[in-house]
């Protein structure tokens, strides 16, 4: 009697290739005197420690895209630098502060200049701020990325009263909780990233 081969399990390498994911870290603040680079440096170190992720950075402060969405020569030049970093990503980590209970206009402008680059990909969200730790900005971003057919990761990392969490050299005073939280978030991001990369390769996304 000939037996049929067992179906591949969800953890099968044929379903979830183990090649590292291309990850784009988006630094979402361009405000003068911003605190974002301090958090971004810590976050990038944690990403680089994760063997399943190969990171690159998009910094909103280094981009000058007009809010008119006019295809000017300046916009075309800016997009030639930033769009490939979004298009080539298998997954994203978006770092946002909270300005007036939401996320910055510069970050929204970068998001709105693109569409297919986000589609059917996972997005992890990291925030910082005062008492709320930027969490209201995170919840607003979830709605935006849902409209773009992206999948936001459930677990986040947030820094409440962020300025007091780091020392003068940019090191966390107590890294135990943030390090544990970012590991959970990145592990979830890798799971979604592998699954969605495989799905995009097998079937055209309908959206």
């Amino acid at each position: 009697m000939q037996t049929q081969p067992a179906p591949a399990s969800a953890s099968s390498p044929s379903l979830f290739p183990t090649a590292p994911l291309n990850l784009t870290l988006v630094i979402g603040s361009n405000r003068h005197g911003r605190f974002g680079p301090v958090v971004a440096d810590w976050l990038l170190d944690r990403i680089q420690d994760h063997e399943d992720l190969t990171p690159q950075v998009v910094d909103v402060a280094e981009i000058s895209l007009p809010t008119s969405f006019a295809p000017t020569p300046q916009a075309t030049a800016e997009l030639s630098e930033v769009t490939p970093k979004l298009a080539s990503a298998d997954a994203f980590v978006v770092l946002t502060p909270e300005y007036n209970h939401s996320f910055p206009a510069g970050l929204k402008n970068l998001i709105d200049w693109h569409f297919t680059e986000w589609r059917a990909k996972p997005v992890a969200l990291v925030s910082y701020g005062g008492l709320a730790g930027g969490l209201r900005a995170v919840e607003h971003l979830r709605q935006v990325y849902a409209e773009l057919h992206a999948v936001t990761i459930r677990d986040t990392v947030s820094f409440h009263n962020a300025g007091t969490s780091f020392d003068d050299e940019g090191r966390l005073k107590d890294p135990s909780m943030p390090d544990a939280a970012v590991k959970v978030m990145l592990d979830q991001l890798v799971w979604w990233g592998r699954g969605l990369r495989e799905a995009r390769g097998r079937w055209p996304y309908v959206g």
Side-chain angles (χ1 to χ4, degrees):
M1 178 177 176
Q2 186 175 9
T3 59
Q4 295 295 322
S9 69
S11 60
S12 169
S14 65
L15 293 181
F16 292 91
T18 57
L21 298 169
N22 294 322
L23 181 143
T24 296
L25 168 62
V26 178
I27 303 174
S29 172
N30 59 357
R31 181 174 286 188
H32 175 71
R34 62 185 181 153
F35 191 73
V38 175
V39 183
D41 286 345
W42 170 83
L43 183 55
L44 191 58
D45 283 344
R46 303 289 78 74
I47 293 170
Q48 290 172 332
D49 287 342
H50 206 298
E51 62 182 11
D52 295 313
L53 298 169
T54 301
Q56 58 186 344
V57 175
V58 168
D59 189 342
V60 169
E62 298 175 358
I63 303 168
S64 298
L65 287 169
T67 56
S68 65
F69 300 103
T72 62
Q74 177 190 352
T76 300
E78 294 287 340
L79 290 170
S80 70
E81 294 292 329
V82 67
T83 300
K85 292 183 177 180
L86 302 180
S88 63
D90 299 307
F92 301 95
V93 174
V94 176
L95 171 63
T96 183
E98 183 177 311
Y99 297 162
N100 299 320
H101 284 209
S102 194
F103 56 94
L107 175 56
K108 184 62 161 61
N109 195 40
L110 170 69
I111 293 170
D112 288 348
W113 268 97
H114 298 88
F115 179 66
T116 58
E117 291 79 8
W118 310 106
R119 191 167 59 182
K121 296 178 182 179
V123 181
L125 300 166
V126 179
S127 64
Y128 60 96
L131 289 175
L135 291 175
R136 290 169 292 210
V138 164
E139 294 310 308
H140 289 176
L141 278 169
R142 290 192 191 279
Q143 298 175 59
V144 172
Y145 278 114
E147 177 64 18
L148 293 169
H149 298 257
V151 177
T152 55
I153 302 304
R154 187 269 183 196
D155 285 72
T156 65
V157 180
S158 60
F159 291 95
H160 304 256
N161 297 317
T164 64
S165 298
F166 293 81
D167 64 22
D168 293 339
E169 296 181 359
R171 295 175 300 196
L172 276 170
K173 295 176 181 177
D174 182 2
S176 56
M177 291 184 65
D179 283 356
V182 78
K183 181 182 185 307
V184 170
M185 183 192 75
L186 292 178
D187 286 348
Q188 291 179 359
L189 185 67
V190 167
W191 190 93
W192 279 102
R194 286 178 175 167
L196 290 174
R197 180 175 64 183
E198 176 74 8
R200 291 194 309 275
R202 287 175 176 261
W203 307 284
Y205 178 73
V206 181

